[in-house]
Amino acid sequence: MQFPETLEGWLGLLEARHGQSIQLGLDRVRQVLAALNRPKTCPVFLVGGTNGKGSTCAFLEAILLAAGYKVGLYTSPHLIRYNERVRINGREIEDAPLVQAFGEVELARGDIPLTYFEHGTLAAWAAFAHAGLDAIILEVGLGGRLDAVNVFDPDCSIVTSVALDHMDYLGDTREAIGFEKAGIFRPGRPAICGDPMPPETLVDHARDIGAQLRVSGRDFGFSGDQGQWTFWVTGGTRRGGLAYPALRGVNQLLNASAVMAACDAVRDLLPISMQAVRQGLMLVDLPGRFQVLPGRPSVILDVAHNPQAAAVLNENLASMGFFPETWAVVGMLSDKDVAGTLQFLKERVDHWLVCTLPGPRGLEAARLADILGELGVSAERIQTFVAPAAAYAHAQEKAAEGDRIVVFGSFLTVADVLATRKAATV
């Protein structure tokens, strides 16, 4: 066949194939990976969990870069451009090497079907193979055990947190989800758990396979005051006088300490100085995770789309100080626990600007309004919009200079607002 010559062409082709029925599991991806013939050449980190994966990946990337290593990072989903998913040395990959990598995977797969995500995951690995990297970080976007990213062999795995999300795929209890997340652990390798109360299934699986499990609050952890914080490892390292990370939010020390535990666990493979740790924590940047934009009124972007993330967002908003009124731009997907997510913020928000999201999973604004009504939010505090950009424009028009606008929910919600802001500056 004639291969597409542009990234847009490849993405269009893969999207067109995506609806095909294929057998779940990792066997197909393993076969294509073997045919691709791009063996592992440097240490690999797998990062999974319910919330905090993006922040954890960003911390780890920033610290490794500050230590002078060449780093590849693969995450999903993206906010605006597909290239965001594949980063080499802190920069989004250009179109040309990504197009080449998609072609390599296409040749390797033969007649083996791959999903959009599987093809993209293998393409990222192929692109990394050309870059001469010292370390690779791979985010396990959905599950763990049966996620395409889990075909790779990690030297260290991190599970950030375990909460109820993606229940159609992973199960409807923390115990079921914990087992799926623990699927990224490996025998004899460091297995970092940033959740201080992990499900027993995760602990049991790590023990059963002989992984070197280290749990937050038990084997490592942190303490802090208003000015600085300390990282500790049981029976070992204690690092005090650390400045708070550049990523804002009350949960970021959980993520940062898990990353420091991972760095400590692989210090023989990738020595990292404390100066590199400090520099990485100061320079880390990640759009859409309690991202506070400059200007007035204050604008906060957060991809909180499940109850645990919404609870953290509520705590973060509470710690910001006084704002006369809070305007929320929110759009959600229909397969999420929408009521459970909105419940945490119903007392924090004065004006609800709910919007419809595109696609078969996108929830209609009218249904979002109904759910808020069922939670006890009065109708005069709710307005509906056809898209996040329209809701955001209304918020900008109506909010006073001292107010704040919170954009949260699906990645699609934050992405639409980011794209609107970017277009306005061009």
Side-chain angles (χ1 to χ4, degrees):
M1 65 172 283
Q2 182 72 33
F3 287 179
E5 296 182 355
T6 65
L7 179 57
E8 291 74 17
W10 271 112
L11 297 179
L13 175 63
L14 298 181
E15 287 166 0
R17 289 177 180 169
H18 191 60
Q20 297 175 354
S21 177
I22 62 172
Q23 186 175 357
L24 296 177
L26 301 181
D27 290 343
R28 293 171 297 97
V29 185
R30 287 197 180 99
Q31 291 177 50
V32 180
L33 178 61
L36 195 59
N37 195 27
R38 295 293 184 186
K40 172 182 166 182
T41 58
C42 65
V44 171
F45 297 84
L46 292 191
V47 179
T50 304
N51 295 308
K53 299 185 297 294
S55 299
T56 298
C57 287
F59 279 129
L60 186 53
E61 178 196 41
I63 289 171
L64 289 170
L65 287 173
Y69 294 113
K70 297 182 69 176
V71 184
L73 171 61
Y74 174 63
T75 62
S76 64
H78 58 277
L79 285 170
I80 299 177
R81 301 172 67 234
Y82 186 91
N83 308 60
E84 297 168 28
R85 298 185 181 214
V86 185
R87 289 166 58 89
I88 296 176
N89 290 330
R91 296 186 177 183
E92 295 173 13
I93 193 170
E94 299 290 337
D95 284 7
L98 202 47
V99 167
Q100 178 184 342
F102 276 124
E104 289 182 29
V105 175
E106 185 71 8
L107 286 172
R109 79 173 186 89
D111 59 358
I112 299 172
L114 294 174
T115 67
Y116 177 100
F117 178 73
E118 290 166 347
H119 200 123
T121 299
L122 291 169
W125 184 259
F128 291 154
H130 293 288
L133 300 175
D134 300 312
I136 293 173
I137 306 163
L138 305 172
E139 180 189 353
V140 184
L142 174 62
R145 186 172 61 93
L146 296 177
D147 194 289
V149 178
N150 203 33
V151 298
F152 301 107
D153 179 34
D155 295 272
C156 180
S157 302
I158 305 172
V159 170
T160 58
S161 64
V162 180
L164 299 180
D165 200 6
H166 300 294
M167 290 181 285
D168 290 348
Y169 300 94
L170 305 179
D172 57 4
T173 66
R174 283 189 81 236
E175 294 297 322
I177 294 172
F179 175 74
E180 295 295 333
K181 301 295 184 185
I184 68 172
F185 295 158
R186 295 293 189 273
R189 303 283 176 83
I192 311 299
C193 180
D195 192 321
M197 293 190 295
E200 285 300 315
T201 49
L202 181 146
V203 176
D204 292 346
H205 180 70
R207 182 194 62 238
D208 292 345
I209 67 171
Q212 300 173 10
L213 181 64
R214 306 180 187 193
V215 178
S216 177
R218 185 190 76 182
D219 304 298
F220 68 92
F222 62 90
S223 59
D225 55 32
Q226 290 186 339
Q228 59 188 17
W229 67 288
T230 297
F231 168 76
W232 54 264
V233 174
T234 299
T237 304
R238 188 175 186 87
R239 306 291 189 187
L242 296 169
Y244 278 87
L247 294 186
R248 300 175 58 158
V250 295
N251 62 321
Q252 292 301 354
L253 289 188
L254 277 171
N255 299 325
S257 61
V259 167
M260 291 181 67
C263 292
D264 182 70
V266 299
R267 60 187 181 276
D268 292 340
L269 292 173
L270 294 166
I272 298 170
S273 69
M274 274 309 298
Q275 177 59 31
V277 171
R278 294 176 191 275
Q279 185 177 351
L281 293 176
M282 285 192 301
L283 297 179
V284 65
D285 178 57
L286 185 63
R289 277 70 165 189
F290 200 65
Q291 179 184 5
V292 182
L293 302 178
R296 294 172 66 111
S298 293
V299 177
I300 300 98
L301 307 178
D302 199 302
V303 293
H305 56 260
N306 57 49
Q308 185 191 48
V312 172
L313 174 57
N314 183 51
E315 289 183 59
N316 290 337
L317 292 173
S319 69
M320 288 184 70
F322 174 74
F323 293 85
E325 294 191 317
T326 296
W327 302 71
V329 174
V330 57
M332 298 280 291
L333 298 179
S334 59
D335 55 2
K336 300 297 179 183
D337 181 0
V338 178
T341 301
L342 299 181
Q343 174 76 31
F344 281 100
L345 293 155
K346 68 175 186 177
E347 304 300 331
R348 187 71 56 194
V349 173
D350 301 290
H351 306 279
W352 289 92
L353 312 180
V354 299
C355 47
T356 299
L357 294 185
R361 296 167 61 205
L363 196 63
E364 293 287 334
R367 179 57 190 142
L368 263 177
D370 288 344
I371 293 172
L372 283 169
E374 292 162 8
L375 292 172
V377 178
S378 60
E380 58 266 22
R381 292 169 55 198
I382 307 169
Q383 290 180 266
T384 60
F385 296 86
V386 295
Y392 179 68
H394 181 82
Q396 284 190 305
E397 179 185 346
K398 297 296 184 181
E401 191 174 87
D403 291 348
R404 64 182 169 187
I405 301 169
V406 183
V407 180
F408 79 96
S410 168
F411 273 77
L412 296 173
T413 307
V414 174
D416 197 33
V417 170
L418 276 175
T420 300
R421 288 179 59 91
K422 185 176 180 180
T425 61
V426 173

